[in-house]
Amino acid sequence: QIQRALRSLTIPLDRLHIMKGHMMQDMCRGLSRQTHTQAKVRMLPTYICSTPNGTEKGNFLVVELCQSQVRTLLVTLYGDGNMSPQMMYKIFDMPEGIMQGEGEALFDFIAQCVTQFLAETTSSDTCSSEERLPLGFVFPFTCRQTQLDKAELLSWSKGFSCSGVVGKDVVQLLQSAINKQELCHVDVVALMNDTVGTMMTCSMEGRPCEVAMVADKGSNCCFMAEAYLVEMAEETSGRMCVNTEWGCFGDDGTLDDILTPYDESVDEESSNPGEKRFEKLVGSLYLGEIVRHALIRLTAEKALFTGTDAAILKEKGVFTTQHVLEIINHEDGTSDVKRILEVLGLQPSERDCSRVQQICRAVVGRAATLHAAGLAAILSYMAQTREMETLTVNVGVEGELYTGYTRFEEILHSVSRLLAPECMATLLPSRDGSGRGAAMVTAVALRLAAQRREVNELLAPLRLTRADLEQVQALMRQEMERGLSKQTNATASVRMLPTYVCHTPDGTERGDFLALDLGGTNFRVLVVRVSEEGISMASEIYVIPAAIMQGTGEGLFDHIMDCIMDFQMKQNLMTQTLPLGFTFSFPCQQVGLDKALLLTWTKGFSASGCVGQDVVSLLREAAERKQHTGLQVVALLNDTVGTMMSCGYDDLQCEIGLIVGTGTNACYMEEMRNVGTVEGNQGRMCINMEWGAFGDNGCLDHLFTHFDRVVDDTTINPGKQRFEKLISGMYLGEIVRQILMVMTEKQLLFQGRPCPKLQTRNIFQTKFLSTIELNGLALRQIRAILKELELDASFEDSVLMREVCQAVSLRAAQLCAAGLAAVVEKMRENRGLDQLSVTVGVDGTLYKLHPRFSQNLQKTLKDLAPNCNVSFLLSEDGSGKGAALVAAVACRSASP
């Protein structure tokens, strides 16, 4: 019978693996908004999003509600890494009956304890009544927390049943009681349970602790989860401590096969049968009772206490966990066991003593093993959700079982390693219970609140209101009108250049066309075949050496001609004369479809003898020098127009082109009657806005922040292309770097440690913004990106850096949308429509690669131009295919 009893209390390893899996599934259910109510592992958010970093300082008051006592502490932190906090505390015994009385009486008593404690411990210099005294409240009962200082009691346990508290905000109840005591300088700023307090207590002395387990009368565990997984809270970045409330695990029957008859008896006799099944297997409140029922059954089976009176075992509570721990901790012989049993009124034989000791060991060993399986579930879950092959973590542990059973730590360690071999947990014993941790929670909350205020202040100028955006839209419209008018064109910041492209594709274009694309150090030549089946292309990329970019104009255009001829030879096109479209992405004043005067070089070009000249003529002259007669240039355009035309072939409603990449620009089809700079009133013409220069006349100065001004001052063209410098990929990374430098200076980042690498210009490329803002990107991956930049960022730093990136990229998308809103609204009004449907052909790495830019742009545009139904079409090769289509449309229009 003894062996059978011991076997029933032993859980095989494969069954522990199954249990671990069940617990992980239930944890996921508890975190999900859809399944939270069905989960037995409640996974309650605590709103604690950070562990101490050692800079916390000040006086913090703690009130801890214990089993039958109220513990008050005053903790002073010195910002020295929390190595030597000063602590004073006092314990007050609760009056008889208060645990089952009225809730108001309980909270009044706690407030009186605080008053008395402060009167005894604080001199006028420690805490003046002008100085706010933040209080952390350790409340070890199940609550639904909605903020750090807002928690509704779900149910009492541990012998408490005060009336009028369940369903109420316990922070408010305590604050009201404190206010009654006229302690107006005491603010309850944080509520937590004892498990969270333990985690924070163990997070001191320079080692972050991210898991805590309490193995006491009740049992619980908490850990730092990725915040975006905690769906019951609104927080999505960083991490949040989750209180698992795992005591109810198994209430759905998943543990039924490991329950013994002794467990069933304990459950039936409890005040809540069928509930808290896991806790009733592992909590020290129940272990003595499990042993008592095992002994009753074994006595009835004549395996124990034969021939003696064991009626005393029928009394509930006679055999306590304290007895059990004393029995199993005396490994040497049975004399102590005999003494303990005799004190209880039993007359044990030597064999009885040995068997009772075996049963006690089995019951407590099982409790330790089950704690280990629960811990393994949490560690594996953390490793999986952080996408880590191995997890190294500190686990704070406290409670009667942990301190009272000498082998508890060893079992916890070895079994959790067997069940979660990928996780290395270091167990840290909690000192000073959870009180010191509560002071840490409070201190961290105040540090984060102060930091939040500073961050908000710093980023406020980047956060645009609806009114700001409407103003930008109106200013853009104003500048567009000035650019279109013959009288004001010369002084307008938005140049509104006519392109002489008067039609978009209609699908009837046919033939073979050449296209050239010159926009940087690479130059492309293409042949594009437009047929009924669609478009096919062949192309080649040629490099333009720096010496040629910065040499003479003749040298540059001769090199371009050499590339064209090389391409035609390879494609067997030397004998054919094909219409050619030339994408030339430099500012030009167009005076005809095939005639454009170069206004200025950009992008590192400075070839002499070109500015003010007709670019098409320069190319034709080079062809003559090379005696190449088969060159028929029919159109010159920029990449924005090319983008509109290439998308216009696939979508006949496409009448706007937008580039948001290294630079930014837009073009659209304007009514000829509004284009004052070109003769004629019939039809439409594509206008190249050159909107990057919007604001160069100072009209956007009120939106420029300190960071924007610093970035502008360090560019090669200060005061120019102001709109572009707020939006395009070339500058966003630099704006972010400037903000990070100020944040470091203000000790909001890297704990104020100097960061020499951040001083390097352009280190923070815009592609990093795109990566950092990827949805659900683990903070570990953000830290890896920052490590590449030699920035040693904590998790908090990573969250903050993501926020900075989001603020800068959101503003860029919103400003771009405000510009676009001015364009679509003007088109709608031009055409006298209540509702305009139009497509924007769009290109550029920022738009294409940034995870949020396009959705932020589209959302803002919808908001600013509700009467316009705008679709976006990604351009494929606007510069090449678009150039050929401009040539194709020109040939179609010219043919009779």
Side-chain angles (χ1 to χ4, degrees), residues 455-610:
V455 168
N456 286 347
E457 207 176 299
L458 203 65
L459 296 181
L462 291 154
R463 294 188 166 135
L464 304 178
T465 62
R466 168 80 192 256
D468 292 332
L469 295 170
E470 285 171 347
Q471 189 190 12
V472 172
Q473 180 181 347
L475 286 166
M476 177 67 89
R477 176 66 184 264
Q478 207 176 302
E479 287 299 302
M480 287 168 72
E481 303 287 6
R482 294 187 60 212
L484 286 169
S485 159
K486 193 171 187 177
Q487 286 69 41
T488 50
N489 170 270
T491 57
S493 70
V494 179
R495 296 295 305 278
M496 303 296 280
L497 304 171
T499 65
Y500 295 84
V501 171
C502 296
H503 302 277
T504 52
D506 66 3
T508 64
E509 297 77 16
R510 300 286 178 268
D512 292 356
F513 304 90
L514 277 178
L516 310 182
D517 175 16
L518 178 64
T521 49
N522 288 341
F523 166 63
R524 281 190 313 153
V525 187
L526 307 91
V527 61
V528 180
R529 177 159 292 128
V530 186
S531 65
E532 272 182 49
E533 285 73 53
I535 290 182
S536 58
M537 300 192 286
S539 67
E540 181 125 2
I541 294 177
Y542 297 91
V543 174
I544 299 185
I548 289 178
M549 284 164 65
Q550 288 144 19
T552 64
E554 270 191 20
L556 173 63
F557 282 91
D558 283 353
H559 177 71
I560 290 171
M561 252 346 279
D562 288 338
C563 298
I564 293 170
M565 288 160 71
D566 175 74
F567 179 77
Q568 285 184 306
M569 295 276 286
K570 288 175 179 169
Q571 296 289 333
N572 282 327
L573 296 171
M574 283 305 275
T575 55
Q576 297 182 43
T577 301
L578 299 180
L580 181 147
F582 185 4
T583 299
F584 186 74
S585 301
F586 299 91
C588 288
Q589 184 191 346
Q590 204 129 0
V591 286
L593 186 58
D594 63 348
K595 192 172 172 65
L597 310 178
L598 176 64
L599 295 175
T600 172
W601 281 119
T602 56
K603 305 174 194 178
F605 279 73
S606 59
S608 61
C610 298

Side-chain angles (χ1 to χ4, degrees), residues 97-109:
I98 201 165
M99 290 160 65
Q100 293 82 31
E102 285 184 14
E104 192 177 353
L106 172 68
F107 285 97
D108 283 345
F109 174 70

Side-chain angles (χ1 to χ4, degrees), residues 725-772:
K725 284 171 187 170
L726 298 174
I727 290 177
S728 76
M730 191 166 184
Y731 306 99
L732 298 190
E734 262 304 277
I735 297 170
V736 166
R737 184 179 74 87
Q738 292 298 334
I739 297 170
L740 297 183
M741 275 162 57
V742 171
M743 282 188 161
T744 309
E745 220 172 276
K746 289 184 177 288
Q747 306 208 331
L748 298 170
L749 269 181
F750 312 124
Q751 290 185 33
R753 290 190 303 272
C755 188
K757 193 72 193 222
L758 260 186
Q759 307 296 323
T760 316
R761 267 187 66 190
N762 297 321
I763 169 194
F764 210 87
Q765 294 165 30
T766 300
K767 70 172 183 187
F768 288 126
L769 262 80
S770 296
T771 315
I772 283 174

Side-chain angles (χ1 to χ4, degrees), residues 153-185:
L153 177 64
L154 294 177
S155 62
W156 285 115
S157 57
K158 303 170 192 169
F160 279 76
S161 59
C162 299
S163 63
V165 183
V166 172
K168 297 273 178 63
D169 176 6
V170 288
V171 173
Q172 195 48 57
L173 292 174
L174 179 59
Q175 187 69 63
S176 301
I178 283 173
N179 294 347
K180 268 196 254 175
Q181 294 288 318
E182 296 185 357
L183 294 172
C184 20
H185 66 299

Side-chain angles (χ1 to χ4, degrees), residues 204-223:
M204 307 200 22
E205 295 157 21
R207 45 172 196 201
C209 173
E210 295 191 274
V211 187
M213 176 194 283
V214 170
D216 204 65
K217 289 184 171 55
S219 171
N220 197 10
C221 194
C222 69
F223 70 100

